[in-house]
């Protein structure tokens, strides 16, 4: 029961995380204009991964997409790639996880197959969460660097007022969503351990005799060490001097007397 709960909770948490990653990637407020000590407040600028927007004080908003790919910074394109990879891996992980749920029985699927699928989806969720967290962190590092560079340029030339950008709401959504996806993947990996059947964990090997069972009687033989020639001390009625029969002939024991 605990394995089913852990697997179901991992699926739900991962689904919420993947949804947050998709929402964060589509949001426009990855970077917002810093209004601190800004004399111009009639226009508010904010930027996303796919377009930049301008909102006026009247409430009118105009957005324009990035019509170039080569003109964008390399780190900016890397952030795009990381977010897209995280979304693709997350969606594939959700599809695999749906068929791996223990509460859903599809045909004659064994528990070992469900355990492998659960582990696969968990690894996909972990990688997707790491991609999202890495992408958001790289973009945040770019904002911090540009912020301090813009601040330095502003104080060096006071006649030129430059726009400074700070963290937008999409960054926080991406961090939380990546963390949820990572936690969900870890829960799926933990649930995989409980889905493995007991007989596959400990495989007992039984050895059977190739021939039929033969029972041997303990005889008066001397046990040798195996490295020196065995010297059998033959004692008994069969190996003593054969007694003479009544008619004067010697009688030798047959092979059936030793069974």
């Amino acid at each position: 029961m605990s394995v089913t709960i852990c697997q179901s909770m991992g699926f739900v948490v991962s689904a919420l995380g993947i949804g947050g990653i998709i929402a964060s990637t589509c949001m426009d407020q990855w970077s917002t204009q810093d209004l601190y000590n800004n004399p111009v407040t009639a226009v508010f600028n904010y930027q996303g991964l796919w377009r930049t927007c301008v909102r006026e004080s009247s409430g009118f908003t105009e957005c324009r997409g990035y019509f170039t790919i080569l003109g964008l910074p390399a780190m900016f394109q890397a952030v795009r790639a990381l977010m897209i990879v995280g979304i693709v891996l997350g969606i594939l992980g959700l599809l695999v996880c749906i068929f791996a749920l223990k509460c859903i029985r599809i045909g004659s699927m064994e528990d070992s197959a469900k355990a492998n699928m659960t582990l696969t989806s968990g690894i996909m969720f972990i990688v997707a969460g790491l991609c999202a967290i890495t992408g958001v962190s790289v973009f945040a590092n770019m904002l911090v660097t540009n912020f301090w560079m813009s601040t330095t340029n502003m104080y060096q030339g006071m006649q030129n007022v430059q726009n400074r950008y700070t963290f937008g709401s999409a960054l926080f959504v991406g961090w939380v969503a990546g963390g949820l996806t990572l936690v969900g993947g870890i829960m799926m990996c933990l649930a995989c351990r409980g889905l493995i059947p007991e007989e596959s964990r400990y495989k007992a090997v039984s050895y059977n005799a190739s021939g039929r069972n033969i029972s041997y009687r303990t005889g008066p033989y001397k046990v040798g060490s195996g490295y020196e020639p065995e010297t059998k001390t033959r004692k008994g009625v069969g190996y003593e001097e054969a007694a003479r029969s009544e008619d004067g002939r010697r009688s030798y024991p047959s092979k059936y007397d030793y069974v």
Side-chain angles (χ1 to χ4, degrees), residues 186-209:
I186 294 174
M187 294 178 67
M188 295 298 293
C189 292
L190 293 177
C192 169
R193 181 65 179 175
L195 291 175
I196 300 177
E198 294 292 337
E199 58 269 12
S200 62
R201 296 184 187 177
Y202 309 100
K203 295 182 179 180
V205 180
S206 59
Y207 297 94
N208 297 323

Side-chain angles (χ1 to χ4, degrees), residues 27-32 44 46-48 55 167-171:
M27 290 176 66
D28 295 328
Q29 294 185 356
W30 277 68
S31 60
T32 58
F44 179 70
Y46 54 93
Q47 299 175 354
R55 186 177 63 195
F167 294 168
S169 57
L171 296 181

Side-chain angles (χ1 to χ4, degrees), residues 35-238:
L35 300 179
Y36 182 74
N37 291 335
N38 190 358
V40 180
T41 58
V43 179
F44 179 70
N45 299 322
Y46 54 93
Q47 299 175 354
L49 294 179
W50 312 103
R51 60 181 182 174
T52 177
C53 300
V54 177
R55 186 177 63 195
E56 300 179 355
S57 57
S58 59
F60 178 76
T61 303
E62 181 181 0
C63 296
R64 186 186 65 173
Y66 301 116
F67 299 106
T68 179
I69 297 178
L70 299 178
L72 297 174
M75 299 300 293
F76 192 86
Q77 297 181 14
V79 172
R80 279 182 169 183
L82 286 172
M83 299 304 292
I84 292 175
V85 169
I87 292 174
V88 172
L89 288 177
I91 293 176
L92 292 178
L94 288 176
L95 294 178
V96 174
C97 185
I98 290 175
F99 296 102
L101 291 176
K102 192 174 182 180
C103 56
I104 298 177
R105 185 65 64 176
I106 300 176
S108 59
M109 184 179 295
E110 299 180 355
D111 291 339
S112 59
K114 285 184 174 290
N116 294 332
M117 295 174 66
T118 302
L119 180 61
T120 303
S121 61
I123 294 175
M124 287 184 177
F125 290 148
I126 292 175
V127 176
L130 291 177
C131 287
I133 294 175
T134 304
V136 175
S137 300
V138 169
F139 194 90
N141 183 50
M142 293 171 54
L143 284 180
V144 172
T145 303
N146 295 331
F147 181 86
W148 292 114
M149 290 180 61
S150 300
T151 303
T152 304
N153 295 332
M154 285 176 59
Y155 285 105
Q156 287 180 355
M158 298 299 295
Q159 67 277 8
N160 296 327
V161 179
Q162 298 182 0
N163 293 331
R164 297 183 303 179
Y165 291 91
T166 183
F167 294 168
S169 57
L171 296 181
F172 301 101
V173 174
W175 272 319
V176 174
L180 289 176
T181 308
L182 184 62
V183 172
I186 294 174
M187 294 178 67
M188 295 298 293
C189 292
L190 293 177
C192 169
R193 181 65 179 175
L195 291 175
I196 300 177
E198 294 292 337
E199 58 269 12
S200 62
R201 296 184 187 177
Y202 309 100
K203 295 182 179 180
V205 180
S206 59
Y207 297 94
N208 297 323
S210 58
R212 59 182 181 180
N213 296 332
I214 303 175
S215 59
Y216 298 93
R217 293 184 180 180
T218 58
Y221 297 103
K222 181 180 179 181
V223 179
S225 61
Y227 297 97
E228 54 186 4
E230 294 183 0
T231 58
K232 299 181 180 179
T233 305
R234 298 183 177 181
K235 296 180 181 181
V237 180

